[in-house]
Amino acid sequence: LGNATGSIAGCVCPAHEYVSGRSAGVVACSECPVGARCSVSGECALQYAGFVCPDTGAAIVGTWTLTGTGVTLAGCPDGYEVRGEAGAEETQECRKCSAEDYILLDPSGGAHTVGACKECPKGFACNGNSAVAAMSGASWSNVGGQVSAQSCPTGHAVDGDTCTLCGAGTECTAGVCTACVPCAQGYYSAGGGTSCQPCPLNTYGASPALGSCAACTS
C-alpha cells in the first residue's frame, strides 16, 4: 500500500506491483502485468522511467500507457501478438510468435492493437517477425498486416495467401493465374507445375486433363 516518506509523492509499491493511481492522500498499488515484469528480478518495469528494467537495462516490449487508474498495452512490434484477458490488466503482454508463425505491422504504420500470430503460408519462410521470404518468381503484398500472394511462378496458381502447384493434367501459364486449367484433348501434363504438351508420336489423348497419353494400338 505504499511506504510514506513525508508526502504521498514519496510512496512506493512492492517490487512486483506498480503505482496505478494517487488520490486524496492514498496510493493505489496494482499487480504488474505479465508483459511488464523484468525478466531477471521479476520487478515491475512500470515503476521506472521509460519502463526500463534496471537488471537488464532494456525496456519492456510493447507500447504501454499509464492511465491514472491502471495501465493499457496499446500495441506490440513486429513479431509479437497482443495477449490479455478482457478486464484483467495483469494478463497483458506482447507474446513473441513462434518460428512457424508470423505477424506483421500494417504498412500504414503503428503498432499492433489486435491480432494473433498467423500460420506461415506455403511458399514462405517465417521466423515470427517481419522477415518473410517468398518463393522465387512470386510476388506478395502486405495488406493490413495480412500477407497474400499477388502472382506466382509458372505452374502455380494464386490461392489466397499462397501459391498452389498445378497437378497432373493441368497447367497455369497466365501472367496472374488464379486457377490451374485442364489440358486440352490430345495434350498431357505429368504435374509438378509442368505445362501441357502434345501427346508423343504413337500415343493419343482421348479426353482432356490427362496426366499421360495412351499408346496407339494397331
Side-chain angles (χ1 to χ4, degrees):
L1 295 179
N3 180 20
T5 58
S7 71
I8 188 174
C11 292
V12 296
C13 294
H16 62 281
E17 298 180 349
Y18 72 100
V19 176
S20 55
R22 301 176 189 270
S23 178
V26 176
V27 170
C29 296
S30 296
E31 183 179 350
C32 190
V34 174
R37 298 171 188 170
C38 297
S39 59
V40 177
S41 66
E43 290 183 277
C44 189
L46 300 176
Q47 299 187 54
Y48 300 99
F51 305 149
V52 174
C53 291
D55 54 3
T56 63
I60 53 176
V61 178
T63 303
W64 299 81
T65 303
L66 292 171
T67 64
T69 57
V71 65
T72 299
L73 175 57
C76 298
D78 269 342
Y80 292 81
E81 62 179 352
V82 177
R83 297 295 296 267
E85 300 173 15
E89 290 184 345
E90 69 277 7
T91 64
Q92 297 177 104
E93 65 173 321
C94 287
R95 182 175 295 181
K96 186 165 179 55
C97 298
S98 72
E100 291 76 31
D101 298 326
Y102 79 98
I103 190 166
L104 303 180
L105 292 180
D106 187 326
S108 62
H112 300 296
T113 55
V114 294
C117 299
K118 304 176 182 70
E119 183 179 355
C120 193
K122 295 177 183 177
F124 281 79
C126 299
N127 63 2
N129 59 27
S130 57
V132 178
M135 67 171 61
S136 176
S139 64
W140 310 85
S141 70
N142 176 0
V143 178
Q146 176 69 51
V147 176
S148 298
Q150 297 299 294
S151 65
C152 298
T154 300
H156 296 73
V158 175
D159 184 12
D161 61 1
T162 190
C163 289
T164 299
L165 186 67
C166 292
T170 66
E171 67 175 355
C172 226
T173 58
V176 179
C177 184
T178 56
C180 299
V181 296
C183 297
Q185 185 174 341
Y187 288 74
Y188 78 102
S189 168
T194 58
S195 59
C196 297
Q197 302 293 324
C199 288
L201 186 66
N202 295 324
T203 66
Y204 70 99
S207 61
L210 292 176
S212 61
C213 299
C216 295
T217 56
S218 56

